[in-house]
Amino acid sequence: MSDRIFGAVGLLLAIGFAVAAWNIEESFLSDAVGPSGFPLIVAVVLGLSSIVIAIKPDAAPHWPGLGRLAELLAAVVMMVLYAELLPVVGFVIATAVAAAYLSWRLGSGIVGAVLTGVGSSVGIYVIFHLIFGLSLARGPLGF
């Protein structure tokens, strides 16, 4: 029963995502696909996956224990904090902290998690900002 509910909620999310994607206004500098192309692909994949989950539910789903659910909730809180702090502290710092925390929760040691967070953050910054020239959130240090 829980899989069917999960599938129905996912399908509703996909429909909402598709409606939001259709309402994206196109600018005069739009490409052939337009700004709603990628969000519509995501909505279709989410919708199809949700339909499969609702139609073919798992006979005996295994729910994680309370400790694992708390870890999942902490990861969600971290991602919300990341989104909120991104414009305040900038891309490099926010991404380094978020990636380090998530890496640590996935099993890395503290030193490895910090190195992963900093390396990921700086690597993404170099590729997307310095090489591709995309604008990323600037922090108090100017990057």
Side-chain angles (χ1 to χ4, degrees), residues 66-125:
L66 191 57
R68 183 65 66 183
L69 287 175
E71 285 186 29
L72 291 172
L73 180 62
V76 169
V77 168
M78 172 52 73
M79 296 311 297
V80 169
L81 286 174
Y82 174 72
E84 290 296 321
L85 292 176
L86 192 61
V88 176
V89 299
F91 176 82
V92 174
I93 295 171
T95 302
V97 171
Y101 174 77
L102 294 173
S103 177
W104 173 62
R105 292 314 308 145
L106 287 171
S108 293
I110 296 292
V111 174
V114 169
L115 291 174
T116 298
V118 171
S120 298
S121 177
V122 171
I124 293 170
Y125 180 82

